[in-house]
Amino acid sequence: MADFDQFITRLEQLVTRVETLLPPARAAVDWSATAFRWRVGASGAGFLQAVKHPHYVDLDALKNIETQKDSIVRNTRQFVTGRQANNVLLTGARGTGKSTLVKAAWTAFANEGLKIIEVDKTDLLHLADIVDLVGERPEKFIIFCDDLSFEEGEISYKALKSVLDGSISAPTANMLFYATSNRRHLLPQKMRDNLDVVSYEDGEVRPNDSIEEKVSLSERFGLWLSFYPFSQDDYLAAAHHWVTELGGAWGDNARDAALLWHRTRGARSGRVAWQFAKDYVGRHQN
């Protein structure tokens, strides 16, 4: 009996060791959802989590970026209808609608089966897993990474480069990558990169190679959309829209308050206009 108990104990230990070597089972995905986030569990395994309350955005609510709207809507329509389309990089001034425009472009085609997957920058090393998971699905997916930029020493951008263009695997036809960033080339560029020097203080002998490495990531996005700070008229137009959209009254008092608001914030943008409208309407509601 003692030998049998010892055998059972050793068998349980063997099973435990084997289980640690096996890949973790993936959680079931609710493919009926329209929006997902890529999450990483305590074990380090990633999974798709359906978003319970997606943020749908009406394209008409975005003001002063008509050229950018036309470009991303055209590209997204090409993608949804099975035609050739590009990965998109949206860069420029903060608060000017980059992230909101991505959500609005997805919203415009959500009823046609387009889905969106939000991936945090820190989880880009899992991109190959995401491609394997959704690459054979019949739906179309936008992989969305907000506020994408990399600091010195970060290596996750290499995974992104590989997925966009450069992997041994062929690009999947049901997936595009849309990213926003305040940096034009995503990686930090230093003044010394442009100096005609023999060697860097950190040992870099061929500065051109360093520059090529930093530019090559952004060049993997076929469509670049640039965003610029609002003029005062653009800002007031956005503030007017949001005040009336939220049920408030626009007049001289609202205009003066909007001007004072952006001066105290030191910026003019769609985000500042939206924040002003919420404050103004909230204070004047009965």
Side-chain angles (χ1 to χ4, degrees):
M1 189 65 178
D3 291 342
F4 179 76
D5 291 341
Q6 186 178 19
F7 171 75
I8 293 298
T9 300
R10 295 182 62 186
L11 183 61
E12 290 175 346
Q13 292 173 345
L14 178 61
V15 170
T16 300
R17 293 175 62 184
V18 170
E19 286 178 343
T20 60
L21 297 176
L22 294 174
R26 289 193 182 275
V29 180
D30 179 13
W31 294 111
S32 65
T34 59
F36 303 88
R37 290 190 183 95
W38 182 258
R39 297 298 195 192
V40 178
S43 65
F47 60 94
L48 280 182
Q49 180 185 66
V51 176
K52 294 182 179 179
H53 305 289
H55 184 195
Y56 296 108
V57 179
D58 188 351
L59 277 167
D60 293 335
L62 301 180
K63 304 298 181 182
N64 310 314
I65 52 171
E66 298 304 321
T67 300
Q68 296 90 331
K69 279 201 294 185
D70 291 343
S71 295
I72 198 170
V73 169
R74 182 186 68 248
N75 190 74
T76 308
R77 181 180 293 111
Q78 291 170 198
F79 174 55
V80 171
T81 56
R83 292 178 285 166
Q84 296 297 319
N86 277 303
N87 299 306
V88 183
L89 178 61
L90 304 88
T91 64
R94 65 188 188 276
T96 48
K98 300 184 296 294
S99 304
T100 307
L101 181 55
V102 172
K103 289 182 282 189
W106 159 67
T107 300
F109 296 95
N111 289 334
E112 298 181 37
L114 181 62
K115 300 179 184 294
I116 190 168
I117 300 173
E118 185 176 19
V119 181
D120 191 84
K121 183 191 74 170
T122 57
D123 296 328
L124 289 177
L125 291 174
H126 294 257
L127 273 179
D129 294 332
I130 299 174
V131 172
D132 290 342
L133 182 61
V134 305
E136 300 299 323
R137 296 288 307 176
E139 303 92 346
K140 304 279 188 180
F141 295 90
I142 288 176
I143 310 299
F144 173 45
C145 189
D146 191 24
D147 196 20
L148 182 64
S149 64
F150 303 92
E151 303 302 329
E152 291 283 355
E154 287 190 79
I155 62 172
S156 55
Y157 77 92
K158 295 181 182 293
L160 177 56
K161 285 175 62 176
S162 178
V163 168
L164 293 179
D165 183 15
S167 170
I168 191 173
S169 300
T172 58
N174 70 333
M175 191 183 314
L176 283 183
F177 198 94
Y178 285 12
T180 69
S181 179
N182 293 328
R183 279 181 178 160
R184 182 66 181 83
H185 290 298
L186 303 178
L187 290 165
Q189 289 183 289
K190 299 182 179 180
M191 198 65 184
R192 67 183 189 185
D193 290 344
N194 299 311
L195 298 178
D196 185 15
V197 295
V198 176
S199 66
Y200 285 166
E201 66 216 23
D202 59 1
E204 180 72 62
V205 177
R206 296 181 177 84
N208 285 338
D209 291 349
S210 177
I211 296 172
E212 288 293 322
E213 172 75 3
K214 293 177 177 180
V215 173
S216 64
L217 176 56
S218 60
E219 285 191 342
R220 281 170 161 80
F221 291 87
L223 181 59
W224 291 352
L225 301 178
S226 299
F227 292 72
Y228 307 96
F230 281 16
S231 67
Q232 181 167 293
D233 288 342
D234 290 340
Y235 165 75
L236 288 174
H240 183 183
H241 169 81
W242 286 119
V243 167
T244 55
E245 183 74 15
L246 294 176
W250 182 262
D252 289 342
N253 289 338
R255 183 181 185 279
D256 293 342
L259 291 174
L260 178 61
W261 182 275
H262 92 70
R263 287 167 186 157
T264 60
R265 296 296 298 272
R268 290 191 296 256
S269 68
R271 178 182 296 152
V272 173
W274 163 246
Q275 292 168 344
F276 159 74
K278 289 198 296 182
D279 177 80
Y280 183 83
V281 173
R283 285 190 290 111
H284 291 83
Q285 282 178 330
N286 295 325

